[in-house]
Amino acid sequence: MNTALSWIKAYVPDLDVTPQEYTDAMTLSGTKVEGYQCLDKNLEKIVVGQIKKIERHPDADKLIICQVDIGAETIQIVTGAPNVKEGDKVPVVLDGGKVAGGHDGGPLPEDGIKIKKGKLRGVESNGMMCSIEELGSSRDMYPLAPESGIYILPEDTPVGADAIEVLGLHDTVFEYEITSNRVDCYSVIGIAREAAATFNKKFVLPEVAATGNGEDIHDYLKVSVEDTGLCPRYCARMVKNIKLGPSPEWMQRRLAASGIRPINNLVDITNYVMEEYGQPMHAYDYDLIGGHEIIVKRAKDGDTFQTLDGQERKLDHTVLMINDGEKEVGIAGIMGGENSKITDDVKTMVFEAACFDGVNIRLSAKKIGLRTDASGKFEKGLDPNNAQAAIDRACQLVEELGAGEVIGGIIDVYPEKRGERRIPFDPAAVNRLLGTGISREDMEEYFGKLELKVDKETEEIIVPTFRQDLERPADIAEEVARFFGYDNIPTTLPSGEATTGGLPYKLRVEATARQIAQFCGFSESMTYSFESPKVFDRLRMPEDHVLRQAIEISNPLGEDFSIMRTTPLHGMLNSLSTNYNRRNKNVRLYELANVYLPKALPLAELPDERMQFVLGAYGDVDFFDMKGVIEEFFDKAGMDKKPHYDPEAGKSWLHPGRQANVIYDGTVIGYLGEVHPDVADNYRIGDKAYIAILDMPSLLPFTTYDRKYEGIAKYPAVTRDISMVVPKNILAGQIEDMIQQRGGKILESYSLFDIYEGAQILAGHKSVAYSITFRAKDHTLEDKEVNGAMEKILHGLKGMGIELRA
């Protein structure tokens, strides 16, 4: 949609902004301006001149020499224009001025054309008289302009005046991108209302005076609507003693700026009101309406109808038609018929302003292959309460322009009046949604600009019918946001778990598990939740084991898929087996698998559905590789405490000497180990295979993504190495617990760097060596501090039966 700024200012008189300011502010408040064209671009030093004397050029038959009065002086201009005569008043560009383009009406140069005084065939010329094309415009906006020649101004134009102002070219045409839900903004009044609210200016509707003579339209015309669902309102008024002629220049220019070609006063009035109010109108020749009756009803299947463009249109029962007492005279909301069109011989006409069902108009336009400006507006769903105001405005313009005599009264078929909508208003909820702290008073001020009323008793917003886009509280919040200013809304962190990082917390932990597994070279697998009862025997699971208590499926696909799994072991081992038997040498797989643990059997309530993080591998891998993957996951999930490993896991499907429960903060959260050789044989895996399973619900409470930054250490570290003779039954974890317990605040880290068993070591013992690092955050350590900490550690280790190696 295009509008001229001067037309907007007709309803917002105090609007004083530059085109760029208007573009930026309107776009930010929700009425997107695609671009604009300044009509006075590259027009400089152009005044009104009057030709006082014309002489023939001595050396050129097609040139004449004009003496032109420009007010302050008389200048000489040589021209070849054939249409000028003495006494004409014309636009004159002076020496050093600019025009927008050439007389041929071609594309306008970006920087215009500069005019300088010079000589034409030896005769001095001090300026140039302009055609309308040279002023950057066209005959669409200035129909009186000659097809080829200088534009002649009215006789009463003052000499020396600003010709650009006289021509109304100090104006800007804006192009808007209007969304379909804002049908009210498909009108100049709607755009002006938005501009007034955006710039906090007064909005003034056009004053529509009462029109009509002492007659009654009901004595002339009868209207009936058979399908009020497709036509909720139909208004009709009449005009007699019609005088066709050109519309005034101001109307022609406004229409041309909106992309509509002026035709005559009556057609221009209907187009003008369509642009001004957003309400399409149509005019019928009263003398061609059979029976002087209008009937709005559906067409019949197989009907044909000739529209104003001379084309035959095929109809069916879904197309709504305007009929007279004898025939069809128009396709409702799309185009009138050839049989009732306004001609130069019209004496009396009928104005129609109706509201039609938007969906039906769109489908009908597509069906008959005809889309018009009117159908484009109707299909968006117009406000029926706007129809009478538009038709009254059209009749007012008819009288003002002397285009005819308006017959008194109006026919208004409006069986079910559309009322205002009410939406709950909760300022606190609006602020929560927007993340703002806007006061109620400010919100109500915004609503007042938009003609929204606040019912303080019911805490509701009363929405006028022209704002059909406002349906729910979120729409009200959007109105507050756009006039508070989207650029003024502060940046806030999202609230609610579902929006933190884009995932709920549980899924974030699962994503971390996937990330670590893939980082460590594991590929994701996916296995079925349905299994066979035979898998428990393949896993060497004791007959009384709790995991054998599985849920039976009522309608299984077969025995192999007859129970819900209680452990992900079978699926993982089956995947490892498939890879091994396809001769894949080194395989690492992981899965986040659900298991289903019944609370009681037979099943009386939903089972405990638990996600388990499963790792499986064979080939270039061992027990400690699997342990390392687990600890890497713990670190990334914020589990900063040291996990413990209990070798007395008691898993019959794992090697008895190479298995352990994973214990974190006193809670068993999983286990890992080498698959028992017999189980590996059952799955036809001819290599050592390793399994690790972590129960996600058990470890979830220990995870955190809160991180506290610690700067780089400012003071040096002190490192001490110790080598010990340790009984074989003491685990490395127990030694590390003692180091951690006795090391004190200055203990920074420790690492195992050697384990040895051999002839040089006492039978039943092993040699274990650790490197221990100490550091203080606020000073350089002294030997006595480090020695004190080491003495405590060694004393604790001695109590465990551990001795230093000599």
Side-chain angles (χ1 to χ4, degrees):
M1 178 175 175
N2 295 349
T3 66
L5 183 59
S6 59
W7 201 350
I8 299 296
K9 287 183 176 180
Y11 314 120
V12 192
D14 298 331
L15 187 62
D16 184 17
V17 291
T18 66
Q20 191 60 53
E21 288 172 345
Y22 181 89
T23 297
D24 294 342
M26 291 292 283
T27 300
L28 279 175
S29 68
T31 308
K32 185 179 180 183
V33 179
E34 284 285 296
Y36 62 85
Q37 176 190 0
C38 295
L39 300 184
D40 58 359
K41 182 181 179 182
N42 295 324
L43 301 181
E44 299 175 8
K45 298 180 69 174
I46 302 176
V47 300
V48 176
Q50 185 174 25
I51 301 175
K52 292 297 186 180
K53 185 178 180 182
I54 298 178
E55 299 175 330
R56 298 183 61 82
H57 194 289
D59 296 324
D61 293 340
K62 294 185 178 181
L63 296 180
I64 56 176
I65 304 169
C66 301
Q67 304 300 320
V68 183
D69 178 11
I70 59 171
E73 60 178 320
T74 298
I75 62 174
Q76 179 173 285
I77 297 177
V78 179
T79 181
N83 68 315
V84 294
K85 64 183 184 299
E86 291 182 356
D88 282 346
K89 292 181 178 178
V90 295
V92 176
V93 56
L94 304 178
D95 177 36
K98 273 187 177 183
V99 292
H103 67 277
D104 58 355
L108 300 181
E110 182 64 29
D111 297 323
I113 300 173
K114 195 163 187 177
I115 303 300
K116 295 181 179 180
K117 65 180 180 181
K119 291 184 178 181
L120 289 177
R121 292 287 186 94
V123 177
E124 185 175 320
S125 182
N126 296 308
M128 185 181 79
M129 292 180 282
C130 303
S131 68
I132 201 65
E133 289 78 15
E134 287 165 332
L135 296 175
S137 193
S138 67
R139 297 181 69 242
D140 285 338
M141 289 192 72
Y142 296 87
L144 298 179
E147 188 170 347
S148 177
I150 304 301
Y151 185 79
I152 308 301
L153 295 164
E155 292 182 3
D156 58 352
T157 306
V159 174
D162 181 356
I164 304 307
E165 184 174 350
V166 169
L167 288 166
L169 288 173
H170 286 312
D171 202 356
T172 304
V173 176
F174 293 94
E175 179 185 357
Y176 305 88
E177 180 186 327
I178 308 297
T179 53
S180 296
N181 66 320
R182 288 304 305 273
V183 65
D184 59 301
C185 287
Y186 282 91
S187 67
V188 179
I189 286 177
I191 296 290
R193 184 183 284 111
E194 289 291 308
T198 299
F199 294 100
N200 200 24
K201 302 294 183 181
K202 185 178 180 181
F203 171 65
V204 181
L205 273 170
E207 293 184 10
V208 181
T211 55
N213 57 23
E215 298 178 279
D216 186 355
I217 188 175
H218 293 86
D219 297 334
Y220 288 82
L221 184 69
K222 179 183 177 183
V223 175
S224 60
V225 179
E226 293 187 3
D227 195 328
T228 56
L230 296 185
C231 179
R233 189 176 193 181
Y234 191 99
C235 296
R237 294 197 71 176
M238 288 181 58
V239 179
K240 67 178 185 179
N241 301 326
I242 291 173
K243 300 175 184 177
L244 288 180
S247 54
E249 286 190 7
W250 62 266
M251 180 176 284
Q252 293 183 28
R253 291 173 190 170
R254 287 182 178 180
L255 289 174
S258 299
I260 298 175
R261 183 173 62 87
I263 297 175
N264 60 48
N265 50 6
L266 287 180
V267 175
D268 291 353
I269 285 171
T270 60
N271 287 333
Y272 185 86
V273 173
M274 179 176 72
E275 291 299 301
E276 185 177 43
Y277 279 81
Q279 171 66 53
M281 298 182 62
H282 191 68
Y284 300 97
D285 189 331
Y286 174 74
D287 295 326
L288 299 179
I289 296 177
H292 294 163
E293 180 182 11
I294 289 178
I295 306 168
V296 184
K297 62 181 180 179
R298 294 173 182 260
K300 296 178 182 178
D301 291 336
D303 282 356
T304 60
F305 181 72
Q306 187 176 34
T307 49
L308 280 171
D309 57 2
Q311 299 293 316
E312 286 284 339
R313 309 289 176 178
K314 294 182 180 180
L315 311 174
D316 62 23
H317 70 280
T318 64
V319 180
L320 189 67
M321 300 295 294
I322 309 298
N323 303 261
D324 62 16
E326 303 168 356
K327 60 188 178 299
E328 296 164 327
V329 295
I331 304 176
I334 301 176
M335 185 176 280
E338 182 76 17
N339 55 13
S340 63
K341 70 178 181 180
I342 299 294
T343 65
D344 292 344
D345 299 326
V346 65
K347 302 298 181 185
T348 306
M349 72 168 195
V350 177
F351 263 144
E352 166 194 283
C355 184
F356 302 110
D357 178 73
V359 174
N360 178 262
I361 294 297
R362 180 170 179 80
L363 293 175
S364 297
K366 187 175 181 180
K367 187 168 295 183
I368 67 174
L370 178 62
R371 194 169 187 269
T372 61
D373 288 340
S375 69
K377 292 184 184 295
F378 276 123
E379 68 187 24
K380 294 173 177 63
L382 298 184
D383 175 17
N385 292 332
N386 195 38
Q388 183 175 350
I391 203 170
D392 288 346
R393 172 65 164 164
C395 290
Q396 178 194 30
L397 289 171
V398 166
E399 289 193 350
E400 288 181 357
L401 303 185
E405 181 184 351
V406 179
I407 294 174
I410 181 173
I411 295 177
D412 187 5
V413 181
Y414 194 11
E416 188 175 342
K417 186 173 182 179
R418 180 175 295 178
E420 297 171 323
R421 184 183 293 114
R422 286 175 171 263
I423 301 175
F425 175 44
D426 182 355
V430 171
N431 280 320
R432 283 196 302 272
L433 183 61
L434 300 179
T436 55
I438 306 170
S439 68
R440 180 191 180 100
E441 291 72 23
D442 286 345
M443 292 185 191
E444 291 180 358
E445 182 182 346
Y446 302 150
F447 298 151
K449 296 177 185 178
L450 298 167
E451 300 181 32
L452 307 179
K453 301 175 185 176
V454 180
D455 187 336
K456 295 186 178 180
E457 291 185 3
T458 61
E459 289 294 326
E460 291 177 316
I461 302 294
I462 303 173
V463 182
T465 54
F466 65 80
R467 287 301 303 273
Q468 299 181 51
D469 59 307
L470 302 183
E471 298 179 342
R472 53 187 65 85
D475 297 329
I476 296 299
E478 183 181 8
E479 296 302 293
V480 173
R482 67 193 187 99
F483 287 103
F484 175 71
Y486 292 115
D487 52 334
N488 294 325
I489 296 177
T491 301
T492 57
L493 290 174
S495 60
E497 186 182 77
T499 59
T500 303
L503 289 172
Y505 189 79
K506 173 178 174 290
L507 297 184
R508 290 182 67 192
V509 176
E510 292 175 10
T512 300
R514 288 189 179 91
Q515 179 186 5
I516 293 303
Q518 292 167 7
F519 173 77
C520 294
F522 287 74
S523 300
E524 186 169 13
S525 67
M526 186 176 293
T527 58
Y528 292 115
S529 295
F530 298 168
E531 291 184 337
S532 167
K534 298 177 182 177
V535 302
F536 302 121
D537 293 332
R538 293 181 71 183
L539 293 170
R540 298 180 70 252
M541 194 172 288
E543 291 292 335
D544 58 349
H545 200 284
V546 66
L547 293 181
R548 283 183 176 265
Q549 306 300 311
I551 302 167
E552 295 184 2
I553 299 172
S554 299
N555 54 341
L557 298 174
E559 185 182 5
D560 288 344
F561 303 97
S562 62
I563 63 170
M564 301 294 291
R565 67 182 174 192
T566 57
T567 173
L569 279 168
H570 171 70
M572 179 55 70
L573 292 174
N574 211 34
S575 297
L576 293 176
S577 174
T578 300
N579 278 274
Y580 181 82
N581 288 285
R582 290 180 182 176
R583 300 186 180 183
N584 292 325
K585 293 183 179 180
N586 294 294
V587 174
R588 297 186 177 198
L589 300 176
Y590 80 93
E591 182 179 6
L592 285 164
N594 281 325
V595 297
Y596 306 87
L597 306 177
K599 298 172 184 176
L601 289 176
L603 202 63
E605 57 181 318
L606 291 175
D608 183 11
E609 184 175 347
R610 305 180 73 83
M611 176 73 73
Q612 296 192 338
F613 180 28
V614 190
L615 299 168
Y618 68 79
D620 187 15
V621 65
D622 60 18
F623 180 93
F624 297 102
D625 290 325
M626 303 295 277
K627 178 173 173 282
V629 176
I630 291 174
E631 292 182 357
E632 185 72 19
F633 167 58
F634 288 170
D635 179 64
K636 291 297 182 183
M639 300 169 67
D640 296 331
K641 293 183 179 180
K642 180 178 176 296
H644 292 81
Y645 301 89
D646 180 9
E648 304 298 329
K651 309 297 182 187
S652 59
W653 52 88
L654 297 180
H655 191 294
R658 298 168 190 167
Q659 61 175 277
N661 279 333
V662 181
I663 303 172
Y664 188 88
D665 201 18
T667 302
V668 177
I669 59 173
Y671 62 88
L672 77 159
E674 180 186 327
V675 177
H676 196 287
D678 292 345
V679 174
D681 287 344
N682 291 339
Y683 283 91
R684 298 172 58 206
I685 302 173
D687 198 351
K688 291 182 179 180
Y690 295 88
I691 290 286
I693 296 179
L694 298 177
D695 187 58
M696 299 297 279
S698 297
L699 65 83
L700 196 63
F702 302 115
T703 61
T704 178
Y705 287 98
D706 293 336
R707 293 288 191 271
K708 185 177 180 181
Y709 171 74
E710 292 186 4
I712 298 173
K714 297 180 180 179
Y715 300 96
V718 177
T719 302
R720 298 288 175 87
D721 295 343
I722 56 172
S723 180
M724 302 165 284
V725 178
V726 182
K728 282 189 176 182
N729 64 330
I730 294 179
L731 305 177
Q734 293 173 289
I735 298 173
E736 292 173 359
D737 287 343
M738 182 58 67
I739 295 172
Q740 184 74 45
Q741 179 184 343
R742 297 295 183 100
K745 294 182 179 180
I746 62 172
L747 177 66
E748 183 177 75
S749 64
Y750 48 84
S751 62
L752 174 67
F753 68 86
D754 183 57
I755 297 180
Y756 172 74
E757 295 182 30
Q760 294 87 350
I761 304 301
L762 186 66
H765 290 70
K766 57 188 174 183
S767 172
V768 178
Y770 274 89
S771 179
I772 306 174
T773 302
F774 300 92
R775 191 194 307 264
K777 295 181 179 180
D778 55 356
H779 65 280
T780 301
L781 290 176
E782 298 179 358
D783 283 344
K784 63 179 181 180
E785 295 178 272
V786 177
N787 292 338
M790 285 300 300
E791 287 178 6
K792 291 180 180 179
I793 292 172
L794 294 174
H795 183 72
L797 293 173
K798 188 175 181 179
M800 297 171 63
I802 299 173
E803 299 289 343
L804 288 178
R805 284 190 66 181

